[in-house]
Amino acid sequence: MEFRLLGRVGVISGAGELQPGPAKRRGVLAALLLKANSPVSVDRLIGTLWDTAPPVHARTVVQGHVSRLRALLNAAGAGEHGVRLLTRGPSYVFEVPETLLDTYRFERLVRRGRSRLRPADTVADLTEALALWHGPALDGTAPSSTLRAAAQALEEDRLAAVETLAEGYGRLGDAAGAVAVLQAEAEAHPLRESLAGALVGALHRAGRRSDALDHYHRTRRLLAAELGVDPGAGLRREHETVLRASGKAVERRRSGAAEPVAPGEGGAVPRLLPRGIRGFLGRDAELAELDRAAGAGVPALVTGAPGVGKSALALHWAHHAQSRYPGGTLYADLRGFGGVPAEPAQVVREFLLALGVPAHGLPESAACAAALYRELTGRRALLVVLDDARGSDQVRPLLPAGTGSAVLVTSRLRLGGLAVEELARPVRVDALAPAPAADLLAAAVGEDRVAAEPGAAERLARLCDGLPLALRIAAAQLAARPHWQLADLAAELADEQRRLALLSLDDAQESGVAAVLRSTVRGLAPEAVRLFALLGVVPGPDLDRYAAAALLGRPAAVAAEALDRLAGAHLVTEHAPGRYSPPDLVRLYARGLTADDGALLRLLDGYAATALAASLAAEPGDKPCCALPATAVADLPVRRFADRDAALRWYAAECDNLAAAVTAARAAGHEDRAWRLAVLQWPYVVWSVRDGWVPLLEQALAASSRVGDPDAESRVRALLGWVLTREGRLSEALAHLEAAPALAARAHDPSSEAIALINLAVALDTDGITDTSLRHVTRAVRLAREADDVLTELLALQHRTYQLLTRGDVAAAESCTAYALALDDQGVTTGLGVMRRATLRLSRGEALLALGEREAAERCVRQALAEATRQGFQEGVNRARYQLARLKGTVAPQTRPGGDNRSVLSP
């Protein structure tokens, strides 16, 4: 099976050419193939088909075209070739092996042809590539500006390949072949000067000097008439060559230097470094790392995020260090993330020329050229700078052989292969801290301007993520607007809708923040690209592989690999093992990409499912405080927790993410998710009640009220009221707690009603035990017993004992604790069940001591101390130690027995 874009858009199968149908359907097919293996939204397809306002039924039309294309492909057995047309939310993904695309094969052949050392091989590859064209690109599609632009880009690639083919014929000495290739194209594109110049040169070398001069003058006149310009430098040079060869040229001043030769052979030492970056500041630690790597004789691998200043660091160090290397300095821009990546074989040839090998002495084969490069570099002390590498394979052939040489490699990727095989030493370049960021701004816009607004300068640095590229662009914006203050630009950049647009320049679009991010993502694995596009959906500060898996709707292992690839490209930072955070500018860029509308819901449901698992692991044996929504996304990967500590660690790590998820859920109208995400954190709320939970729980209350679920509202009010009680805000707490039991009763949930009554009693008992609170706890005990909810019954009996001890009824308290400790709590050995038993033992110890049974009291307290210590229940530990001290007579008796009972309640 083959998909054609280079000519009439279509599909070729084993049974012949498939018929996609009308022009608009071919346009849909072309748009999907141009973005093969990436999501294309319905809105983008609509914009592709209609330049003007689309018809009201445009979405239906597009969906119909996609449906018919899918049926056509299925009928042709496309799945057997790995081809699938998938629907992902509001987007479509045309999954297709790249080798089935004529555009991919064309690009691969052209790239290979340009890297060939033998001219005959170049001619063969380029001829095969151009044979893939069957007419104008994207022919047969509906006329639209989007498709015309795509077709023009493909046509530009074709013409460049034609010119490269002509060069290959020239290197073969076949000038007539070059003329044959160029003649028709030059006539079809008379204003393309590169074609005209190539044809003039080919005609001259073919012995057709008059034809060469005639074509030059015709092109010159056409340029003047159509564009009002003179021929460019390249075309003029070809004209002058013809004139000199004819004896009619006037000697002109030559430019450029003589070809260098190798040191020791009478030639100059090569110094190929481009100039350094102006205004380079700081980076002392990184420069020291480069010194250490050079001293150790291992390559230095400078890595970091796009725009962080890797090349600037490498060039700054190289300019200051190159005098240490008498053999010279070689430099190559490998264009790993900008333009067509440099082929190592071609770079080797350029290095050989710089090292003094004459052009006529260059080996024809890449293997021989590499061998000569190793021989020449083996006896020299060189500094080799390889900038913007895409992969280890691009770097290895360029490493010098001599042990006295130094190598600097810069890349946006980690290039682990170099670290493993070449012992390359990573030198990570991070974002600038506030002080050097302010210095960079001052160097660009003036120290007085920055000194006058230090706070605004710090804010600008933060809004630019500390990236030197972004800061330089911000400085350029300020320099162009001398009447602006730094605070004015900071206010503009604070608008997330405009920030990326402001961090690019009209004449430098390809060096703006968005451009470098786009070029970094290009070429990553499809799942990593898709996850990158979904980073803008993440509401919290970071994510782990399970959250990423939920976003993608894929297994956790796939998500982990995608995260690792993004981290390897420095698009996210692994700030803790397994936890990744994207910088703000990455988030903003990702939000502008085509995203899956179902991703947020998957993420919310993934968080909720994992929080439910965490609550069950943290409090084994307890009943879940809620179930997942009936509409929850199924089969999402959920983290499993080995024990209670693991669950609590997860809660601590995800606390900010879960809070942000509640806000995002409410903003998206998912109120049924919002309240669950809050109350499912109750085990962690119990353990960290002073951590400011009220705002989150107030959001949950608003969400539960909106969904009209009395059980949901009861649970939220019970937990919120308890937190407010612990914060000493009693009147606010009672407003929620007094409403919670009736709501639970309406929902016919006895366990929930029991918990609400207990929490209400705790609040009422703050200022002394009342008959009302006694009745609440008595009812709570009965409700929990009827529901066979042992842990909640233990909770009620725990507080009942506290009430009895506080009132001085020690006999009833001892009887209550004896009954409670005899209950079967289903073998629970961790969590609140153990804490409640420890608290009951402490209360029992107090009752026994009051009844004169000192030895039994001490045994009870020591057992409680052991249980509280194992659980990390510090209040229980403190209370047990106090009671033991009382038993030994080293402290005075408490004025009121019972201690504080409130730290171990449920929601």
Side-chain angles (χ1 to χ4, degrees):
M1 181 166 277
E2 176 189 356
F3 294 87
R4 290 184 174 178
L5 295 171
L6 305 179
R8 187 170 180 81
V9 173
V11 186
I12 306 298
S13 72
E17 184 174 359
L18 305 183
Q19 297 301 322
K24 277 191 166 46
R25 193 171 305 153
R26 289 181 189 268
V28 169
L29 176 61
L32 292 170
L33 289 174
L34 287 168
K35 294 289 184 180
N37 302 308
S38 299
V40 182
S41 69
V42 174
D43 289 338
R44 174 172 287 188
L45 291 173
I46 291 172
T48 298
L49 297 185
W50 289 278
D51 281 339
T52 56
V56 293
H57 58 284
R59 185 172 295 272
T60 303
V61 171
V62 168
Q63 291 168 343
H65 286 317
V66 171
S67 177
R68 287 172 176 81
L69 286 172
R70 185 179 285 136
L72 181 73
L73 293 169
N74 290 341
E80 299 174 5
H81 301 275
V83 177
R84 296 189 300 170
L85 180 46
L86 305 176
T87 302
R88 286 185 180 159
S91 302
Y92 299 108
V93 178
F94 203 123
E95 287 189 353
V96 54
E98 291 178 325
T99 53
L100 301 186
L101 294 171
D102 60 357
T103 49
Y104 171 80
R105 297 201 305 280
F106 172 78
E107 291 168 0
R108 185 181 62 181
L109 285 166
V110 170
R111 189 164 54 247
R112 188 174 72 182
R114 286 174 174 152
S115 68
R116 297 281 202 176
L117 298 182
R118 288 166 44 88
D121 294 336
T122 297
V123 169
D125 285 342
L126 270 296
T127 301
E128 183 180 352
L130 290 167
L132 293 170
W133 286 72
H134 302 282
L138 308 187
D139 189 26
T141 60
S144 73
S145 57
T146 302
L147 291 174
R148 280 195 297 271
Q152 182 59 38
L154 291 170
E155 176 66 5
E156 286 292 323
D157 292 341
R158 187 187 71 83
L159 291 174
V162 168
E163 293 170 356
T164 305
L165 175 58
E167 292 171 5
Y169 276 118
R171 289 164 54 205
L172 273 176
D174 185 359
V179 170
V181 168
L182 293 166
Q183 191 106 45
E185 298 295 346
E187 294 295 332
H189 304 275
L191 295 178
R192 187 180 177 92
E193 289 191 58
S194 56
L195 274 176
L199 180 57
V200 168
L203 287 167
H204 164 56
R205 287 186 290 276
R208 299 168 57 182
R209 292 178 181 172
S210 61
D211 290 337
L213 292 171
D214 179 66
H215 190 75
Y216 168 82
H217 287 298
R218 280 194 289 122
T219 304
R220 178 180 58 79
R221 289 192 296 269
L222 192 61
L223 289 169
E226 296 289 334
L227 304 179
V229 298
D230 292 324
L235 184 53
R236 291 200 308 272
R237 277 196 301 271
E238 292 292 346
H239 178 229
E240 291 166 4
T241 299
V242 179
L243 292 177
R244 282 197 299 271
S246 304
K248 300 176 182 178
V250 178
E251 185 69 19
R252 299 179 182 272
R253 181 173 57 87
R254 290 185 174 88
S255 61
E259 181 179 70
V261 295
E265 298 177 11
V269 174
R271 298 292 184 197
L272 302 187
L273 284 181
R275 71 176 182 84
I277 304 297
R278 295 184 185 277
F280 182 87
L281 297 167
R283 303 295 193 192
D284 293 341
E286 292 87 347
L287 291 168
E289 278 293 315
L290 293 178
D291 282 334
R292 284 191 284 272
V298 296
L301 177 56
V302 182
T303 67
V308 81
K310 303 178 292 296
S311 298
L313 171 70
L315 288 174
H316 182 81
W317 185 88
H319 275 287
H320 286 79
Q322 64 180 337
S323 60
R324 308 176 201 167
Y325 301 96
T329 308
L330 301 176
Y331 171 87
D333 179 1
L334 299 183
R335 302 188 302 277
F337 297 89
V340 179
E343 293 291 343
Q346 184 58 39
V347 176
V348 166
R349 292 174 62 83
E350 294 170 1
F351 281 179
L352 289 175
L353 291 170
L355 291 169
V357 178
H360 60 78
L362 290 174
E364 287 195 7
S365 75
C368 291
L372 179 58
Y373 177 67
R374 290 192 297 271
E375 178 186 348
L376 293 179
T377 58
R379 57 177 187 259
R380 291 170 172 78
L382 290 160
L383 172 58
V384 180
V385 181
L386 305 173
D387 198 13
D388 195 24
R390 183 92 204 188
S392 300
D393 291 343
Q394 198 182 22
V395 171
R396 287 191 194 93
L398 307 177
L399 298 176
T403 57
S405 295
V407 179
L408 265 69
V409 181
T410 75
S411 180
R412 300 179 196 179
L413 303 180
R414 287 186 297 220
L415 303 189
L418 285 183
V420 172
E421 297 174 17
E422 305 294 341
L423 299 181
R425 181 171 297 179
V427 179
R428 183 183 172 91
V429 184
D430 290 316
L432 291 174
D439 291 341
L440 192 155
L441 285 171
V445 302
E447 294 183 4
D448 293 344
R449 206 168 168 186
V450 172
E453 299 180 82
E458 185 174 339
R459 190 179 181 205
L460 277 175
R462 188 169 61 254
L463 290 167
C464 291
D465 280 349
L467 289 180
L469 170 63
L471 286 163
R472 288 176 180 274
I473 295 174
Q477 298 280 15
L478 289 168
R481 299 169 175 85
H483 58 288
W484 276 30
Q485 294 184 326
L486 271 65
D488 295 327
L489 180 58
E492 292 293 319
L493 289 174
D495 182 353
E496 294 185 347
Q497 302 297 321
R498 298 196 61 214
R499 192 179 308 170
L500 287 174
L502 287 167
L503 293 179
S504 62
L505 296 175
D506 291 342
D507 61 346
Q509 292 295 329
E510 287 309 309
S511 60
V513 173
V516 297
L517 289 174
R518 181 168 56 250
S519 62
T520 304
V521 175
R522 189 185 303 130
L524 292 178
E527 291 292 359
V529 174
R530 183 166 169 246
L531 179 58
F532 177 83
L534 294 172
L535 290 178
V537 175
V538 179
D542 64 3
L543 72 166
D544 64 4
R545 67 179 184 274
Y546 290 95
L551 280 172
L552 290 168
R554 301 279 282 140
V558 174
E561 182 179 353
L563 277 170
D564 188 62
R565 289 182 181 276
L566 293 181
H570 297 90
L571 294 169
V572 297
T573 300
E574 189 178 13
H575 63 88
R579 303 204 66 84
Y580 300 82
S581 59
D584 286 345
L585 292 175
V586 168
R587 287 178 186 269
L588 291 180
Y589 180 74
R591 285 177 194 168
L593 301 177
T594 302
D596 180 350
D597 287 344
L600 176 61
L601 195 58
R602 290 197 300 272
L603 180 63
L604 297 176
D605 287 349
Y607 278 144
T610 307
L612 179 58
S615 70
L616 297 176
E619 306 305 338
D622 205 0
K623 291 186 176 182
C625 66
C626 66
L628 298 178
T631 58
V633 179
D635 300 326
L636 291 174
V638 176
R639 179 189 290 272
R640 302 301 174 192
F641 300 96
D643 52 31
R644 185 169 193 275
D645 288 342
L648 291 176
R649 285 196 300 272
W650 179 84
Y651 277 123
E654 297 288 356
C655 183
D656 291 340
N657 289 323
L658 293 172
V662 170
T663 302
R666 296 208 64 212
H670 301 305
E671 307 282 11
D672 57 338
R673 271 73 174 177
W675 74 265
R676 285 176 167 87
L677 286 168
V679 299
L680 281 168
Q681 298 180 66
W682 75 265
Y684 190 60
V685 175
V686 166
W687 276 93
S688 53
V689 67
R690 305 289 185 185
D691 287 0
W693 295 99
V694 171
L696 175 70
L697 293 172
E698 286 177 339
Q699 281 206 74
L701 179 58
S704 65
S705 300
R706 187 175 291 275
V707 298
D709 182 343
D711 182 57
E713 187 174 348
S714 170
R715 292 183 182 278
V716 176
R717 286 188 185 275
L719 184 56
L720 174 56
W722 180 72
V723 170
L724 288 166
T725 301
R726 295 305 309 272
E727 291 187 357
R729 298 158 64 176
L730 190 59
S731 61
E732 296 174 70
L734 287 172
H736 297 292
L737 293 171
E738 287 171 348
L743 287 163
R746 279 175 50 199
H748 306 291
D749 190 326
S751 292
S752 181
E753 185 180 355
I755 290 170
L757 287 166
I758 297 166
N759 288 4
L760 174 57
V762 169
L764 291 172
D765 289 346
T766 300
D767 295 325
I769 308 302
T770 67
D771 290 340
T772 301
S773 71
L774 285 167
R775 286 195 300 272
H776 289 331
V777 175
T778 300
R779 176 167 171 75
V781 171
R782 186 172 69 253
L783 287 167
R785 189 173 301 157
E786 291 173 355
D788 195 25
D789 186 349
V790 176
L791 290 182
T792 299
E793 186 177 357
L794 279 176
L795 176 64
L797 292 169
Q798 170 192 323
H799 191 67
R800 177 67 170 166
T801 304
Y802 168 76
Q803 291 174 321
L804 293 170
L805 285 172
T806 303
R807 283 200 160 189
D809 192 349
V810 292
E814 188 276 335
S815 177
C816 185
T817 57
Y819 170 79
L821 291 169
L823 287 175
D824 181 8
D825 59 359
Q826 300 159 348
V828 173
T829 58
T830 61
L832 290 181
V834 176
M835 292 165 60
R836 288 168 189 163
R837 287 185 171 280
T839 302
L840 283 162
R841 291 189 199 284
L842 291 170
S843 297
R844 180 170 179 76
E846 294 208 16
L848 290 169
L849 180 61
L851 292 171
E853 300 183 32
R854 182 177 293 271
E855 290 184 4
E858 183 174 350
R859 284 196 302 273
C860 214
V861 173
R862 289 193 181 280
Q863 189 174 354
L865 175 61
E867 290 173 338
T869 301
R870 284 197 302 271
Q871 283 300 116
F873 175 28
Q874 193 58 45
E875 289 187 33
V877 170
N878 295 340
R879 185 177 163 193
R881 287 173 176 168
Y882 176 80
Q883 288 184 217
L884 288 172
R886 279 185 60 201
L887 285 164
K888 293 177 182 178
T890 57
V891 296
Q894 287 181 260
T895 58
R896 186 180 74 179
D900 187 355
N901 176 48
R902 296 169 295 169
S903 64
V904 292
L905 301 181
S906 294

